[in-house]
Amino acid sequence: MQLHTGDDHLAHAAPATAAIASPHTAHHPPDPEYAISTRGLVKSYPGPDGTTTYAVRELDLDVRQGETFAFLGPNGAGKSTTIAMLCALARPTAGHATVAGADVRTQPHQVRQRVGMLFQQSALDPDLTAEQNLRIHARLYGIRRVHVRQRAAEVLEVAGLTDRRRSPVRTLSGGMRRRLEIARQLLHAPSLLFLDEPTTGLDPHARAQIWAHLHALRERQGTTLFVTTHHLEEAANCDRVAIIDRGRLVAQDTPRALKAAIGDDSVMLHTSDDTTAHRIVRRIAPPEHSVTVDPHGVCLRVPDGSSWIPRLCAALEGHSIAVRAASATPPTLDDVFFHHTGRSIHGARPDPAPATSTSADPAQATGGDR
Ligand SMILES: Nc1ncnc2c1ncn2[C@@H]1O[C@H](COP(=O)(O)OP(=O)(O)OP(=O)(O)O)[C@@H](O)[C@H]1O
């Protein structure tokens, strides 16, 4: 989903009043030492028939300075809405957030001055050259004319686009345009860059280039990167990952710790009769462990998966079922997502009626709750 630009999202129109009280915020205010810190952040919309639709519910996040932080979730999870609030483009319904040392409610202008925002929709003019696009942005951000040429040259160099600076944008590849968009957001030297699905629509090679570019940015300039994605392999390369599902934060840690916490390996068996094999494996496996079957075969999630393979093969062969392939793999972030939500991230679909409630209290919202 694209970021929203309706009146509801014009945070600068919001009065600079005291933030809405929340049980979270009363005890643990956001910590301005973090690049991003939120407590009890909520975004809701009036739904049909007097109901309330919660796009984001009671979000507590802490992102360290210089960290590459992935915000992972399926379509409709609430990622774009969260970014809109953190960039002070959407007004939170409740809760607090400080971003780059400024309060999103009471200091939205400072927030927008201090961060860069790469949205899903391109804001480049395809008929202008790369350099001309940068100059327009520099003027919008009030960068002094004497500095613009030098800043543009610097960010073009960082983006690896110096030799294409006079090319009209429409002649650049998808990956180059995305790098130019990032360069544009770096002109005013923000310490924190929000990137909403930065690799959407790019082929694997261009995606890898964007990530190499982002990692280099972090190394060279210490820029904090907050990246939304539904690509697991992208999240796995970040310092920390927050998983959001149906507006709610379900887990937050390093990829390694998230995987270690669930512990289970995936044991995959491809057999001559997967349906019967599924029944047999279910009988053998401890009841608390998941056993599923799909076109790829039978999958059992257990700790120390490789030790299960000989036993399962022997049991299946005892029922005259031939095992054609067997493997045990350590947990992936998809397993982590499955563990916390009961679904695969790729199978997860946005609810037709996301998190709808007639209650004013998001904790009591029923739709989409588990
Ligand atoms: N203005 C709005 N009015 C009502 N519901 C909204 C509004 N904006 C967003 N939503 C709902 O809030 C939920 C979260 O949307 P959001 O765009 O933040 O998800 P997302 O994780 O960014 O999805 P995607 O990956 O598809 O961009 C969705 O179910 C969406 O339909």
Side-chain angles (χ1 to χ4, degrees):
M1 182 156 184
Q2 308 298 333
L3 278 178
H4 327 277
T5 51
D7 284 346
D8 181 53
H9 289 81
L10 294 177
H12 57 269
T17 53
I20 295 170
S22 140
H24 288 259
T25 54
H27 302 294
H28 307 287
D31 186 340
E33 291 300 307
Y34 283 102
I36 300 169
S37 184
T38 75
R39 291 294 177 273
L41 204 62
V42 175
K43 182 68 185 173
S44 66
Y45 301 99
D49 306 324
T51 58
T52 302
T53 298
Y54 287 96
V56 175
R57 301 194 274 174
E58 295 287 330
L59 188 66
D60 290 356
L61 277 183
D62 287 310
V63 177
R64 298 186 188 104
Q65 311 278 358
E67 191 166 50
T68 301
F69 192 89
F71 204 47
L72 177 73
N75 290 333
K79 304 183 297 294
S80 299
T81 304
T82 301
I83 284 208
M85 287 191 283
L86 296 180
C87 292
L89 296 174
R91 187 181 178 208
T93 310
H96 293 255
T98 56
V99 173
D103 184 306
V104 297
R105 278 176 178 285
T106 58
Q107 301 170 297
H109 184 67
Q110 284 93 324
V111 170
R112 289 194 290 271
Q113 280 291 330
R114 291 175 193 176
V115 306
M117 307 163 236
L118 182 83
F119 298 139
Q120 288 179 36
Q121 203 168 32
S122 173
L124 297 171
D125 185 328
D127 293 324
L128 299 182
T129 66
E131 219 167 28
Q132 287 167 335
N133 269 282
L134 293 179
R135 284 210 198 109
I136 289 176
H137 183 86
R139 229 176 290 151
L140 284 175
Y141 269 81
I143 297 171
R144 291 179 55 200
R145 195 179 282 260
V146 288
H147 298 312
V148 171
R149 185 185 289 266
Q150 190 196 339
R151 278 303 295 154
E154 282 167 9
V155 296
L156 282 166
E157 201 267 318
V158 171
L161 290 171
T162 303
D163 57 339
R164 301 301 300 267
R165 65 189 184 281
R166 301 219 168 93
S167 303
V169 163
R170 71 184 133 70
T171 67
L172 302 179
S173 71
M176 287 175 181
R177 286 182 205 195
R178 210 58 62 89
R179 295 209 305 273
L180 180 60
E181 296 258 20
I182 295 171
R184 199 167 154 270
Q185 292 304 327
L186 294 174
L187 272 175
H188 61 290
S191 60
L192 168 58
L193 193 54
F194 288 96
L195 302 113
D196 196 11
E197 311 250 358
T199 60
T200 297
L202 299 182
D203 62 45
H205 178 65
R207 277 170 56 189
Q209 280 189 328
I210 292 292
W211 274 100
H213 177 50
L214 292 177
H215 288 311
L217 256 186
R218 186 191 109 140
E219 292 307 313
R220 283 206 229 170
Q221 304 184 9
T223 313
T224 307
L225 301 172
F226 184 94
V227 186
T228 73
T229 181
H230 53 258
H231 291 297
L232 296 158
E233 68 282 9
E234 294 186 352
N237 278 326
C238 293
D239 299 320
R240 281 195 309 140
V241 181
I243 298 179
I244 184 172
D245 185 39
R246 296 170 179 172
R248 210 184 270 295
L249 187 74
V250 296
Q252 176 180 199
D253 213 327
T254 62
R256 183 194 284 257
L258 286 172
K259 291 188 250 181
I262 64 166
D264 294 349
D265 295 341
S266 291
V267 179
M268 280 300 298
L269 299 167
H270 184 49
T271 72
S272 55
D273 178 357
D274 286 346
T275 309
T276 311
H278 178 225
R279 274 203 303 275
I280 295 166
V281 174
R282 280 187 85 135
R283 276 209 300 272
I284 300 171
E288 69 276 19
H289 290 284
S290 133
V291 185
T292 53
V293 62
D294 67 20
H296 303 294
V298 179
C299 179
L300 165 66
R301 293 172 201 262
V302 276
D304 193 18
S306 53
S307 71
W308 279 80
I309 290 179
R311 191 171 153 199
L312 295 173
C313 288
L316 293 173
E317 276 154 21
H319 286 81
S320 305
I321 295 173
V323 178
R324 297 192 173 131
S327 62
T329 48
T332 64
L333 281 181
D334 197 24
D335 297 321
V336 174
F337 189 84
F338 183 92
H339 176 83
H340 289 286
T341 66
R343 295 169 297 137
S344 157
I345 193 167
H346 298 302
R349 293 277 173 267
D351 289 347
T356 300
S357 171
T358 50
S359 163
D361 175 6
Q364 290 169 25
T366 49
D369 243 342
R370 279 171 315 285

